[in-house]
């Protein structure tokens, strides 16, 4: 599995400033200077193709302004979708689908969602708990004896709940690339879950299970292995049968051994420390972070999850039981707290919203939904920065879009 920036996630999910295939922590979602694209276009339309604004406070001009602000940060392409309580959508795109062209970003384009996939995995785990087939207090060793062992790692002390909440202490050592040369050399590499876990076992845990918080893509790899064991089927099949099909998420799929994305899509770009901007659209992302989706499907997922379509009230409440994140994540998630595969963040207008952002090389996803799931927002960005300052500016601008859209559509 993978993720990107807390924004983003490995993938591949929110990770550390170490880039590592941009999975580690959002910080690793990397860097691009102004791309200087020509013929940049911005479009905004309501879901029925009309240009009339919503009855709510957040209008097309607002979304156009916010997507333009993101584009101005040097991001090649932006697409954003706001779904209101009525189910009506406001959609905006800015920039271009490919550098050197005037081709607009598709309004319904596919993109890698990276760590947003963690919320899918957490939902499947909690469904199994609802069915009595698993307990959040089960240890890893009970389900996968001997998997977590060595260098102070102990599967007898590590629980399913801790894996979900990133309080397991499992160290991340996910393979990835830090230079263009590494990208071209390793973009088609594949790894089994066992290999990824074995890499982590070469390190001491970051802390004793349950005594701290640290973003761990490895922990979600282990969760996938637990789903395999409990259901007797690959975890991908569980996600498909339990979430994607019931919610009608027909444009969400696991890329598997296919390095390209289904059309339509905008290309993804990575700017490395050297300043080189590389098209990194083509790569294998062999884990949970490899999910590809659309803004409509991501909104549909959070609407269904928080609206009570996937979990019982008891399990959804457990999912939303949060712990604070450390200071290094505060820069990305100010006031943020982590639940079981969900992030809670405060709204400027009061209250809070729920999300799970993600980031992979070339693709950054920010999203958010109100507590009842009636109002949702998803933003996809097709440039990742290795430069920390640029990454933070990107994160703040996209988070501001999510906040304004959810606050201004409140009660609508």
């Amino acid at each position: 599995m993978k993720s990107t920036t807390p924004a983003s996630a490995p993938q591949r999910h929110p990770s550390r400033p170490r880039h590592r295939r941009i999975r580690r922590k959002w910080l690793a979602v990397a860097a691009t200077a102004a791309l200087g694209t020509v013929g940049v276009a911005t479009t905004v339309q309501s879901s029925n193709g009309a240009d009339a604004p919503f009855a709510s406070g957040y209008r097309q001009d607002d979304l156009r302004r916010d997507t333009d602000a993101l584009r101005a940060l040097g991001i090649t392409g932006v697409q954003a979708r706001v779904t209101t309580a009525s189910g009506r959508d406001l959609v905006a795109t800015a920039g271009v689908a490919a550098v050197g062209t005037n081709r607009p970003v598709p309004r319904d384009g596919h993109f890698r969602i990276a760590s947003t996939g963690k919320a899918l995995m957490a939902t499947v785990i909690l469904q199994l708990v609802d069915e009595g087939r698993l307990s959040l207090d089960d240890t890893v060793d009970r389900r996968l004896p001997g998997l977590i062992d060595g260098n102070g790692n102990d599967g007898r002390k590590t629980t399913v709940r801790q894996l979900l909440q990133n309080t397991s202490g499992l160290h991340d050592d996910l393979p990835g690339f830090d230079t263009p040369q590494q990208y071209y050399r390793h973009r088609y590499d594949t790894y089994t879950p066992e290999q990824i876990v074995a890499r982590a076992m070469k390190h001491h845990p970051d802390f004793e299970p349950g005594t701290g918080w640290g973003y761990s893509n490895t922990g979600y790899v282990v969760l996938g292995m637990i789903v395999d064991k409990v259901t007797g089927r690959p975890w991908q099949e569980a996600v498909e049968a339990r979430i994607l099909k019931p919610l009608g998420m027909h444009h969400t799929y696991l890329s598997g051994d296919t390095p390209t994305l289904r059309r339509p899509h905008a290309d993804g770009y990575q700017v490395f420390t050297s300043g080189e901007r590389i098209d990194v659209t083509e790569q294998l992302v062999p884990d949970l972070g490899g999910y590809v989706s659309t803004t409509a499907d991501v909104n549909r997922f959070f609407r269904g999850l928080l609206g009570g379509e996937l979990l019982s009230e008891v399990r959804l409440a457990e999912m939303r039981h949060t712990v604070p994140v450390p200071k290094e994540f505060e820069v990305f998630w100010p006031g943020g707290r982590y639940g079981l595969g969900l992030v809670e963040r405060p709204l400027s207008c009061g209250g809070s919203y729920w999300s799970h952002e993600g980031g992979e090389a070339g693709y950054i996803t920010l999203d958010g939904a109100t507590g009842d799931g009636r109002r949702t927002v998803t933003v996809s960005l097709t440039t990742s920065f290795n430069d920390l300052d640029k990454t933070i500016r990107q994160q703040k601008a996209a988070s501001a879009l999510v906040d304004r859209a959810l606050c201004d559509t409140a009660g609508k």
Side-chain angles (χ1 to χ4, degrees):
M1 303 182 201
K2 315 168 193 179
S3 162
T4 275
T5 318
S8 306
Q11 248 147 47
R12 334 208 179 169
H13 312 266
S15 244
R16 293 172 184 153
R18 292 187 56 176
H19 202 131
R20 290 296 154 197
R21 199 153 198 175
I22 305 200
R23 305 176 171 197
R24 294 189 151 326
K25 280 177 180 172
W26 264 89
L27 302 176
V29 156
T32 270
L35 299 179
T37 51
V38 180
V40 172
T42 301
T43 64
V44 186
Q45 284 189 321
S46 58
S47 58
N48 63 3
D51 288 329
F54 284 119
S56 62
Y58 197 77
R59 298 169 178 262
Q60 293 179 3
D61 285 347
D62 299 314
L63 191 56
R64 178 181 291 113
R65 175 202 64 217
D66 288 343
T67 53
D68 277 344
L70 284 164
R71 183 198 63 193
L73 295 177
I75 297 168
T76 309
V78 182
Q79 59 170 314
R81 180 180 299 266
V82 180
T83 302
T84 62
S86 67
R88 192 179 182 192
D89 286 353
L90 184 66
V91 181
T93 67
V96 294
V99 170
T101 75
N102 293 326
R103 185 159 52 91
V105 175
R107 296 175 68 247
D108 300 301
H110 295 90
F111 54 91
R112 294 189 175 101
I113 65 173
S115 281
T116 298
K118 285 183 169 65
L120 300 176
M121 177 63 74
T123 300
V124 168
I125 290 286
L126 289 166
Q127 286 177 338
L128 293 173
V129 174
D130 257 337
E131 295 163 10
R133 303 173 68 181
L134 189 63
S135 168
L136 291 175
D137 296 320
D138 281 348
T139 64
V140 174
D141 212 56
R142 177 183 175 188
R143 299 295 177 172
L144 302 168
L147 178 70
I148 305 300
D149 189 33
N151 285 319
N153 297 285
D154 191 344
R156 297 170 301 177
K157 299 178 180 178
T158 307
T159 68
V160 171
R161 188 190 307 275
Q162 291 164 351
L163 295 175
L164 287 169
Q165 200 153 43
N166 286 323
T167 57
S168 69
L170 289 180
H171 184 76
D172 261 341
D173 184 21
L174 297 180
F177 42 83
D178 298 308
T179 65
Q181 294 73 25
Q182 289 178 6
Y183 164 72
Y184 290 119
R185 188 179 308 125
H186 298 294
R187 58 179 168 166
Y188 301 130
D189 289 354
T190 60
Y191 300 87
T192 65
E194 290 79 7
Q195 287 174 323
I196 292 175
V197 174
R199 292 172 68 101
M201 293 303 99
K202 294 178 181 179
H203 301 269
H204 292 291
D206 294 338
F207 48 82
E208 285 294 310
T211 65
W213 192 93
Y215 202 92
S216 177
N217 296 297
T218 303
Y220 274 76
V221 173
V222 175
L223 287 169
M225 298 173 73
I226 290 174
V227 173
D228 292 351
K229 185 67 174 292
V230 172
T231 65
R233 303 167 62 190
W235 61 262
Q236 300 94 320
E237 293 184 15
V239 172
E240 176 77 19
R242 291 168 172 270
I243 300 174
L244 306 186
K245 287 184 176 179
L247 293 183
M249 296 171 63
H250 304 305
H251 298 286
T252 301
Y253 66 95
L254 198 64
S255 54
D257 60 1
T258 302
T260 55
L261 304 182
R262 294 176 186 172
R263 295 189 180 278
H265 71 265
D267 292 344
Y269 296 89
Q270 176 71 29
V271 178
F272 293 89
T273 304
S274 62
E276 293 178 80
R277 181 186 64 215
I278 302 296
D279 183 335
V280 294
T281 309
E282 188 167 322
Q283 60 173 291
L284 290 178
V285 183
D287 56 26
L288 182 62
Y291 270 106
V292 176
S293 191
T294 62
T295 56
D297 269 13
V298 174
N299 280 1
R300 188 171 291 115
F301 167 68
F302 283 108
R303 192 178 182 91
L305 173 64
L306 297 168
E309 296 181 44
L310 299 175
L311 296 173
S312 68
E313 290 185 11
V314 172
R315 293 299 161 255
L316 187 55
E318 282 191 292
M319 194 178 202
R320 297 200 281 199
H321 179 72
T322 62
V323 297
V325 300
K327 289 184 178 180
E328 63 262 31
F329 261 73
E330 277 278 331
V331 68
F332 292 108
W333 301 338
R337 297 175 62 89
Y338 203 91
L340 304 186
L342 277 183
V343 177
E344 181 180 20
R345 295 183 60 183
L347 284 167
S348 62
C349 54
S352 62
Y353 71 93
W354 298 91
S355 69
H356 204 303
E357 301 161 2
E360 177 56 81
Y363 294 95
I364 305 300
T365 303
L366 284 91
D367 43 57
T370 53
D372 58 6
R374 298 180 69 201
R375 298 180 300 283
T376 56
V377 184
T378 297
V379 184
S380 173
L381 313 172
T382 60
T383 301
S384 53
F385 299 96
N386 275 70
D387 183 286
L388 180 57
D389 289 338
K390 292 178 180 178
T391 300
I392 291 173
R393 287 198 294 271
Q394 177 189 52
Q395 170 73 7
K396 287 183 176 179
S399 294
L401 184 159
V402 172
D403 179 85
R404 281 192 288 269
L406 292 178
C407 279
D408 289 346
T409 57
K412 303 297 183 181

